[in-house]
Structure formats: C-alpha cells, structure tokens
Amino acid sequence: MESKIFRDFLIQRGLKLTKERMAVLNQIFSIHGHFEPEHLYLNIRNSEIKASRASVYRTLNLLVESGLVERISRSDKGNVYEHTYGHSHHDHMICTTCGVVIEFFSESLEELQKMICTEYHFAGTTHTLEIRGKCRTCQKRKK
Amino acid sequence: MESKIFRDFLIQRGLKLTKERMAVLNQIFSIHGHFEPEHLYLNIRNSEIKASRASVYRTLNLLVESGLVERISRSDKGNVYEHTYGHSHHDHMICTTCGVVIEFFSESLEELQKMICTEYHFAGTTHTLEIRGKCRTCQKRKK
DNA sequence: AGCGTATTTGCAACTTAATCTCAATTTCAG
DNA sequence: CTGAAATTGAGATTAAGTTGCAAATACGCT
Ligand SMILES: [Mn+2]
Ligand SMILES: [Mn+2]
Ligand SMILES: [Zn+2]
Ligand SMILES: [Zn+2]
C-alpha cells in the first residue's frame, strides 16, 4: 500500500511522518488520473486535514523522489503529475482540440526504445512520450 | 530559406515584417541546437538590431505557429526550443547526470507510433519523446 | 509518559518566466 | 506620400514554485 511505501521512504531518509504529508499523499491517491499542484492544494484546503501550499509542494517533491508520483509534463501553466503506484507505466496521446488524454502502453515500443538506447550506449531509466493530434471524436466533428 | 517562409507566414496572417522580428529569426537560426528564450533575448541585446524582451517572446510564439521553431520541453526553469527548418525531426536522450543531449532518429520508432495511433483511432500530428538516463561517459565515471 | 532535539510547518516575502497594458512608433497598401 | 492598422518597448502584472524563519511537532530515548 502506498502509505507504507511512503513511510519507509521517509524513515530511510530520516524524515518525519506528519499529518500534513499524509494528507497530501491521501489526496493524491484519491484522485483518479492527472493533476496539477495548485488543484491538489485547493482540494486539501477543503479536506479534513489541511496543509499549506508550501507543504503541498514540498511533499510533492518528496513523493516524486520516492517514486510514488511522477511528473508527466508541463502544461502551458505549471507541472502535471500522476501517481504511478498501482498504475503501471504508459504514455499519452493528447487531443489538441478538446484536450482529452488517452493513455496507452505498447510493449514493442518499450522494446524498441531499449534497443535504440543500446545502440547509443545510453542507459535509459525513464522516458516520456507525448503524441499530439486529434482524437476520434474531434476528427468526426470537422468541417 | 527560413526568412522567406516566415515572411510568407506573416503576410498570410496579415502581420508585418519588422526588423525586430527579423532580428529574432536571424538570431535563432544562427544558434546551433537548443535554446532558452531568456538566453535568446540576451544574445539579441548584444546584437546589431535589438528587440525587447516582449518582442522576443512574441516573435518566438509566432515562429512556433509558423512551424519554423518547435518547443522541445520545459526544463525546471522555462521552455526549451529548437529550430526545425533544415533540421529534420528527431527525439532526445538526456543525461540526468551531466545534462548532455543526444539527438536520435529511428524510422521504425516513427512507424510503430503511427501504428499505435491507428489502433487508437488517433490522428497524431506531432510527438515528443524524451529518454532520460545516463550517457556513456557518465556510466564509466561511476563508483 | 515525559524530555530534548532535529525536523517540519505556515506565513509571507521572494524569484523567475512569461504575458499584458498602453502610448509612441512603424509598416505598408493604396 | 498618407493614414489606418499593427507593432514596439518599458514597466506593471500574473502565476508557479521556492525560501527564510519563528513557532510547532514528531519521535527516539530514558
Ligand atoms: Mn497517465
Ligand atoms: Mn534537438
Ligand atoms: Zn479531441
Ligand atoms: Zn552524462
């Protein structure tokens, strides 16, 4: 479970398990899908146990370091995150018309990337692939 | 040539060809590789024909719309761009240790992405793939 | 359970990228 | 040339995210 992982991560780094950090963790894992820090902060302001903006951002960085959360991209505004625990690796297609996000995963794509890395003697650990274009719905709804 | 393309783009949009816009264009096409807007602005401050920060940012957006320049990513600081004219499509590997950027292109990767798009009924137009990890040099220089 | 200390919190001030406002200037079609 | 429409630059503004610091808190130790 994610709170166990986070607790272990904190202990291992000599950090403390505070209610604010737990509030951020719980809020994130109650969100389905992608989120922006500011939105996360607003949710927390309205929840049972609150945390300041500073703590939200600080905790978010810790969660990324722990591997429980990943930074997906930067929108025109700020960062976009998603939790990765219980949510295996995938890439994204983003419709430039309606903004819908399609998550996909392709084993052959992953394999091919590994081969390319080998070719360049590069030890790849993570990647982000974002394909932009038009989703099915927006294609139909064209002039 | 890029200035011809930009001129046509401006005319077609009813915009004017100014010396400031040309200064930005020329500066960008005299840069080899990736660049950040602030750095671009500083270069222009020291060049023959100058342009204000506002104009630099405004022109940069126009250049992206014209297709001559692409936004590669957002670093922890601001955006990173590169010119695409005379510089065919490619993706990036970024060393998380030394920051070196390896540009690569794989036809099979492009093909595979097209196939995946078809599978999802998605009309992909552009994509960004960034692989992060350790470059050859930084792998050797490990503990 | 209580203590002592290192860590964390919240607030507000700060930083930095990028955009906006608007009066003055420039472009360019006619 | 001329005049309308677009553009410019300077500085104000916005917004994301970080930071300094005094007060509060977690938690290992007894
Ligand atoms: Mn996702
Ligand atoms: Mn490149
Ligand atoms: Zn769509
Ligand atoms: Zn390296």
Side-chain angles (χ1 to χ4, degrees):
Chain A
M1 196 200 186
E2 61 270 10
S3 51
K4 170 87 173 80
I5 296 175
F6 192 38
R7 181 208 311 275
D8 290 349
F9 168 81
L10 292 175
I11 289 171
Q12 183 233 321
R13 294 257 294 239
L15 303 177
K16 290 172 180 175
L17 183 63
T18 65
K19 55 182 167 29
E20 289 84 0
R21 282 174 179 163
M22 281 303 129
V24 174
L25 181 73
N26 291 333
Q27 189 56 236
I28 288 176
F29 278 83
S30 77
I31 293 172
H32 159 73
H34 300 180
F35 65 91
E36 295 168 23
E38 207 61 20
H39 188 244
L40 175 62
Y41 167 60
L42 292 177
N43 281 354
I44 287 173
R45 294 227 72 173
N46 301 327
S47 75
E48 184 63 20
I49 295 157
K50 305 179 196 315
S52 69
R53 176 177 278 109
S55 288
V56 169
Y57 277 98
R58 287 188 281 228
T59 305
L60 202 40
N61 288 335
L62 287 175
L63 285 165
V64 170
E65 287 176 46
S66 79
L68 284 167
V69 169
E70 244 177 52
R71 195 176 75 185
I72 300 300
S73 69
R74 293 190 86 145
S75 68
D76 274 335
K77 329 198 83 205
N79 288 319
V80 177
Y81 295 84
E82 74 182 350
H83 59 253
T84 45
Y85 182 74
H87 201 274
S88 56
H89 169 73
H90 56 266
D91 296 302
H92 298 103
M93 295 176 187
I94 298 179
C95 178
T96 49
T97 304
C98 71
V100 75
V101 175
I102 300 168
E103 306 194 326
F104 72 92
F105 175 79
S106 157
E107 190 55 49
S108 4
L109 191 71
E110 304 289 321
E111 284 308 316
L112 187 47
Q113 285 185 39
K114 272 179 204 154
M115 284 174 55
I116 297 169
C117 283
T118 307
E119 200 180 315
Y120 285 83
H121 305 281
F122 189 83
T125 51
T126 58
H127 67 262
T128 334
L129 169 61
E130 185 178 297
I131 305 181
R132 290 172 296 276
K134 279 203 198 316
C135 72
R136 195 175 199 171
T137 316
C138 290
Q139 284 170 65
K140 288 179 187 159
R141 195 195 307 142
K142 73 186 167 204
K143 41 172 288 166
Chain B
M1 198 203 186
E2 60 270 9
S3 52
K4 169 89 173 76
I5 296 175
F6 191 39
R7 180 206 312 274
D8 290 349
F9 168 81
L10 292 174
I11 290 171
Q12 183 232 322
R13 293 257 293 240
L15 303 177
K16 290 171 179 175
L17 185 61
T18 65
K19 55 182 168 27
E20 290 83 0
R21 282 174 178 163
M22 281 303 131
V24 173
L25 181 73
N26 292 333
Q27 189 56 237
I28 287 176
F29 278 83
S30 77
I31 292 172
H32 159 72
H34 301 178
F35 65 90
E36 295 168 23
E38 206 61 20
H39 187 243
L40 175 62
Y41 167 61
L42 292 177
N43 282 354
I44 287 174
R45 293 226 72 170
N46 301 328
S47 74
E48 185 62 20
I49 295 157
K50 303 179 196 317
S52 68
R53 177 176 278 111
S55 287
V56 169
Y57 277 97
R58 286 188 283 229
T59 304
L60 201 40
N61 288 334
L62 287 174
L63 286 165
V64 170
E65 287 176 47
S66 78
L68 285 167
V69 169
E70 245 177 50
R71 193 177 77 184
I72 299 300
S73 69
R74 292 190 88 145
S75 68
D76 274 333
K77 327 198 83 202
N79 289 318
V80 177
Y81 296 84
E82 74 182 351
H83 58 254
T84 46
Y85 182 73
H87 201 274
S88 56
H89 169 72
H90 57 266
D91 296 302
H92 299 103
M93 294 175 189
I94 299 179
C95 178
T96 48
T97 304
C98 71
V100 73
V101 176
I102 300 168
E103 305 194 327
F104 70 92
F105 175 79
S106 157
E107 189 55 48
S108 3
L109 191 71
E110 304 289 320
E111 284 307 317
L112 187 48
Q113 285 185 40
K114 272 179 204 153
M115 284 173 55
I116 297 169
C117 284
T118 308
E119 199 180 315
Y120 285 84
H121 306 281
F122 189 83
T125 51
T126 58
H127 68 262
T128 334
L129 170 60
E130 185 178 297
I131 305 181
R132 288 173 296 277
K134 279 202 197 318
C135 72
R136 195 176 199 168
T137 316
C138 290
Q139 285 170 65
K140 287 180 189 160
R141 196 196 306 146
K142 74 184 165 206
K143 42 170 285 169

